[in-house]
Amino acid sequence: METLISTINKLQDVFAAVGPREADIQLPQIVVVGSQSSGKSSVMEAIVGRDFLPRGTGIVTRRPLLLHLCHVPLEDSEQRRGMKDDWACFEHARDKIFEDFELVRKEIEDETDRLTGSNKGISNVAISLKVFSHRVVNLTLVDLPGLTKVPVGDQPTNIEEQIRDMIMLYIGNPNSIILAVTPANSDLATSDALKLAKDVDPEGLRTVGVLTKLDLMDKGTDARDILENRLCPLRRGYVGVVNRSQKDIMGRKDIKAALDAERKFFNSHPSYSHMADRLGTQFLQLTLNRQLTDHIRDRLPALRDSLQKRLFAIEKDVQEYKHFQPNDPTRKTKALMQMAQQFTRDIERSIDGSSSNMVSTNELSGGARIKRIFHERFPFEMVKMEIDEKELRREIQFAIRNIHGVQVGLFTPDKAFKFIAKKQINRLREPAQKCVELVVNELSTVIRQTADSLARYPRLRNEIERVVVTQIREKEQYAKDQIGFMVDCELSYMNTNHEDFVGFGSSELGNSTKNPVKKNPANQAIRKGWLNVNNVSFVRGSKDFWFVLTSESLSWYKDDEEKEKKYMMPLDAIRLRDLESGFMSRQHKFALFYPDGRNIYKDYKQLELGCQNLDDLDAWKGSFLRAGVHPEKQVSDLADMHSNEEVAMSIDPQVERQVETIRNLVDSYMRIVTKSIRDLVPKCVMHVIVNQVGEFLETELLPHLYQCDMDELMEESQGEAQRREELLQTYNAIKQAISIINEVNFSALTVPTRPLASIQLNGNSQANRVAAVAPLTGAVRPAPKAPNSRPPPPPSHIAKSGACNENSAYSPFIPPVPKRPTVPPRP
């Protein structure tokens, strides 16, 4: 049992290089918590028996102090250190041994100032200190900064929150024992230490209360109810101590004399004399040793299991680094080939949509977004570029009159048709090239996201991204040239003999093409989804509804079960316009309205609908386009006024008939050209850009990379090298820790059969010997018997078994373990 604390100390030394947080290991330890001036430092100095902690006003402990107390037998210390029987050493200065504890204090102050500055700053990086002495028991204590309320010096305004977070980090460890230090001359209900301990240990299973300053309580008052565990009870109870006063500290009063005075105070005080054997610093020291030992004994098997699980979890990653040689050219060449091939496969999966382990479930990406551009965004952009009726008729009038000149035109001039049609065809160049830009931007995004998997080699990632994006930009210009070539081909020859063209003979049908009849065979659903209604009073502001768009109507429901219909409107003659987002709104909005100014719903001229993102907005606009709802025509007021004047001026019926004829011809021919462009542009983009880039990745990317400087290209990032070192350190530390734990004989972890004889107590009373082995409980113990009184007889089952003899460790405070009953043989 006595080796358990030293085992934990070895584990803490092992994990000191990597840190328990990096290794995800929570080791058993005792954490000392208390507010400022509660006596924490005095308690720890009394336990050690030396003055070694910094003193002063305000916050003194500004970094956690990990204190390892190592018991060394007196004869061993005399042989090793000569006349000096106590010494210390720091983890950050392993080669230096401190025999003067004034230098230990100065080293703590200097190390604290080195990291936090000299003006009351704090840090959560711990200072590790080991103290070797024959006057101490094996213990591991963590001294934390005292809770403060008001920042001073360079401390931030949230100093209280920072200290609280630091304390919660340590006491939140389920393997830690909380030593809550509270001054007895203050109300226990306002104890900050007990409050924090209650937050992480509500049942008080791993909290030990320590009452300091019992000698400073007002006359006529005492802490008997607290020490007897009747007020704010804890499973592990309370221990009262009397620390040195500030006058004693300034006068360099010896700690041994202070311990004698403390013992005298408890023995002579009328409220504490009956429990004097369970009070004082020495009892606290032995109790903490026993409790920490028992705690380690209970937690050690689970700790070993967690270490083994952690080892198995990182072993797969470590296999790659066990025989790692950064400068091996063979390894670099192989790694380069594998990563380039994996990059190519990831791009193909993202575009083609084949099965992949990295499928996004939150948004569209890669090929799905390109498909949306082809079938929703590009058609919508083309429709926005459609013929403006008033502007077109005005242009046709001017063209006819200018072609006829001073002559009276008896026939419709075909030159006017060609001129107007070519002008409209040329306007299709802009949406087609915008489609190319959208696809290129999406491909570049896919390249960047996929290249993030190569972050281990930043130069390689940058080179691959640069080469591929450059190739995409080259293909972008070539695709735009090809699309411009297609438009030029349409402009070079007007195929008026096309089977779908109405021709001059059929153009006299007049209004037959003005309002084409929808060819939807049935009122089928085109799109369903949630939209936000913004300007309709019956929803009292904005509210989400489930909308169903069909080929003939738009309906919205209360929810997606489509049971309670709110309204349905037909789509005839409805138009769509974009709306700007509000100042405090992030929604993307559009509106439905009638061009003639009629109310679309009740008293509202337009129905404002909102989407959560731009992709949903494009999808809904594309769906409305399929249902025949076209976007609003953007015509300036001046052009409207001018066209109205020109139309009003035209009173020649013959010119009017010729305008109507050419108007029908242009509309018929533009439907043919638009259908052809809408079909050919996605094919051109796929052939020239997407497929060509895929072929480049498969055939030319790897040869291009091999031409670069391999050493420079395969240089690891600093973060990756650090990660590899930390992973190997953690792996080796966990293996060493498991080896240390395996040396412990778990079958021998039982309650010790004798007191800790190596610890020297004041006096030789039976109470002191019992206190060395009795666990701290919340029960009230009886007063000690007279020296000549005989102890009570042991229980009958112990007396019969002969387990109680002169060397037995039986005590009324340690319940015996009952024997397993004997099972009778089967008849």
Side-chain angles (χ1 to χ4, degrees), residues 180-213:
V181 180
T182 304
N185 56 355
S186 64
D187 189 1
L188 191 67
T190 62
S191 172
D192 294 329
L194 289 177
K195 183 178 183 301
L196 288 176
K198 198 78 172 178
D199 292 340
V200 297
D201 184 29
E203 298 181 2
L205 299 178
R206 53 187 181 91
T207 303
V208 178
V210 177
L211 283 184
T212 61
K213 304 182 180 181

Side-chain angles (χ1 to χ4, degrees), residues 395-460:
E395 291 177 355
I396 293 175
Q397 283 191 32
F398 282 131
I400 293 175
R401 289 175 177 178
N402 290 331
I403 291 174
H404 287 314
V406 297
Q407 303 294 327
V408 177
L410 299 178
F411 302 100
T412 304
D414 59 347
K415 291 183 178 181
F417 160 72
K418 292 182 179 180
F419 177 80
I420 297 299
K422 286 183 178 181
K423 185 176 180 180
Q424 297 301 324
I425 292 173
N426 198 46
R427 296 176 66 229
L428 297 178
R429 194 187 305 267
E430 180 180 351
Q433 293 187 348
K434 186 175 182 179
C435 176
V436 176
E437 296 174 356
L438 293 174
V439 173
V440 167
N441 292 336
E442 183 57 35
L443 275 179
S444 301
T445 302
V446 172
I447 296 298
R448 284 192 296 269
Q449 292 176 350
T450 308
D452 289 340
S453 61
L454 308 176
R456 177 177 174 182
Y457 301 97
R459 295 180 183 272
L460 175 63

Side-chain angles (χ1 to χ4, degrees), residues 8 46 86 88 194 252 304 330 461 533 563 772 775 807:
I8 294 299
D86 299 344
L194 289 177
R252 301 285 182 172
R304 181 177 61 179
T330 305
R461 179 190 62 186
V533 182
K563 293 182 179 180
N807 295 323

Side-chain angles (χ1 to χ4, degrees), residues 795-810:
S796 58
H797 67 277
I798 296 182
K800 291 180 181 180
S801 62
C804 183
N805 50 43
E806 60 180 0
N807 295 323
S808 174
Y810 166 69

Side-chain angles (χ1 to χ4, degrees), residues 11 52 64 69 154 162 169 180 207 215 217 232 303 338 342 423 461 483 488 520 574 675-676 724 767 800 819:
L11 295 179
F52 69 99
L69 302 183
D154 291 338
Q162 289 188 15
L169 176 66
T207 303
D215 56 332
M217 297 183 69
C232 297
L303 178 61
Q338 290 177 346
Q342 184 63 40
K423 185 176 180 180
R461 179 190 62 186
I483 290 175
D488 292 338
N520 296 320
I574 289 180
K675 184 178 180 181
S676 176
R724 182 177 66 253
K800 291 180 181 180
K819 295 181 62 178

